[in-house]
Structure formats: structure tokens, C-alpha cells
Amino acid sequence: MAETIKRIEGNALTRAQISEEERATAVNFTSTEALVSANIDSTATVGAGSQLGYDINIGEGSSVGELSKIQDSARIGRYSIVGDQAEMGHNSKMGDHSELEKVSVMGNFSEMGDRSVIGRGSEIGFRAKVGDRAEIGAGATVTSSALVDNGESIPNKGVRIAEFQTLV
């Protein structure tokens, strides 16, 4: 038996003794403080093995896939999807009706607008901003502090570099 956080009686979360079989499907909070500070809507779902940080917010109807990592103070809007093994950095924000696909990463302080899609295996850098209705192709990179305008698309494996950066 191991001690971990477990959802019981509907939406109540508690620290409990669970079997190894149950542990395989548990959600992991980074600390007891993270458990207490989490704001997870009762209609939201979180996949097995995911790690949830302190002061996170997961909106109505949203889902977080298996083995994903949502770091401290991250915000997920309503009806949004975080795919399996995806990661949202500290203080990152995801809008409503948006999707962060499998194995993608949003860096610390990055932002994603409403109705946007970040493709599988993409990386969104520190303080980068992806506008409303934007589409980032699979395997694409948006560097730190770069801006993707509303409605703009970045092709698969494409790169968006912040204006002040230069390539060496």
C-alpha cells in the first residue's frame, strides 16, 4: 500500500492509502498545498499519472491527458484539451475551446488564445503568445517571446522567431 491523492465520493480529493493497482491510475499533486490550492471544475477530467502543481485552474469541461504535467499557477480555459504527455509551464495560460496536442510543451508564462490548436510535439517558448484561432503545426517551434497573431498558422515543423532574436 502507498499513500497518494485519490478522488473519492464524487469530487472530493483526499490523501488515502491505496493499492499499487490504484496508484497506476492516480493523479499526482506535487504537494499537499497543491491539492488544497487546485481549482478543478467538477466536469473536468485528469488522466492517470498526470502531475498537477500548486494553484492550478482547470476549467469547465476541460480534459488533461495521461502522464501530462501542469505546473504551478497554470490556467486551462473551458472545454479545452491537454493531450497525453503534454506539459504546461509555470503561469502558462490556455484559452477556451483550445487544444494542446500530445507531447507538446508550453513554456513558462506562455499564452494560448481561444479556439487555438498547438500541434503534436510542438514547443511554445518562454513568454510566447499564440493568438485566438491560431494553428501551430505538428513539430513546430515558437521561440521565447515570439508572437503568433490571431488566426495565423505556422506549418508543420515551422519556426516563429521573436523579432528581436537573430540566428547565429
Side-chain angles (χ1 to χ4, degrees):
M1 297 290 273
E3 187 175 275
T4 192
I5 306 304
K6 181 179 177 184
R7 187 177 295 267
I8 60 168
E9 295 179 16
N11 294 318
L13 293 169
T14 186
R15 186 174 295 276
Q17 293 291 322
I18 65 171
S19 68
E20 290 305 313
E21 293 81 27
E22 288 177 307
R23 186 177 182 86
T25 62
V27 172
N28 302 305
F29 286 82
T30 56
S31 66
T32 302
E33 292 79 16
L35 168 64
V36 172
S37 67
N39 181 12
I40 303 172
D41 188 87
S42 64
T43 62
T45 59
V46 179
S50 291
Q51 295 180 12
L52 304 178
Y54 180 80
D55 191 33
I56 63 158
N57 187 333
I58 303 175
E60 175 185 357
S62 291
S63 67
V64 174
E66 294 182 358
L67 302 172
S68 293
K69 186 174 184 180
I70 311 299
Q71 295 186 16
D72 295 347
S73 301
R75 303 284 183 253
I76 300 171
R78 298 176 309 120
Y79 303 102
S80 291
I81 300 169
V82 175
D84 295 344
Q85 300 177 20
E87 183 174 337
M88 290 183 67
H90 297 278
N91 296 289
S92 59
K93 296 177 183 170
M94 182 177 186
D96 296 337
H97 302 276
S98 292
E99 183 173 4
L100 178 65
E101 292 184 355
K102 286 182 169 188
V103 297
S104 294
V105 176
M106 285 182 67
N108 296 341
F109 299 96
S110 61
E111 295 181 21
M112 177 182 186
D114 295 338
R115 301 186 186 281
S116 294
V117 176
I118 295 176
R120 182 180 182 146
S122 295
E123 295 183 24
I124 308 302
F126 174 79
R127 292 197 188 277
K129 293 186 180 184
V130 175
D132 295 339
R133 293 181 169 78
E135 295 180 11
I136 308 300
T141 300
V142 176
T143 64
S144 295
S145 301
L147 172 66
V148 177
D149 291 325
N150 292 342
E152 188 175 3
S153 293
I154 304 294
N156 291 352
K157 298 186 180 178
V159 176
R160 170 56 52 93
I161 298 173
E163 290 183 25
F164 62 86
Q165 293 179 328
T166 57
L167 294 176
V168 178

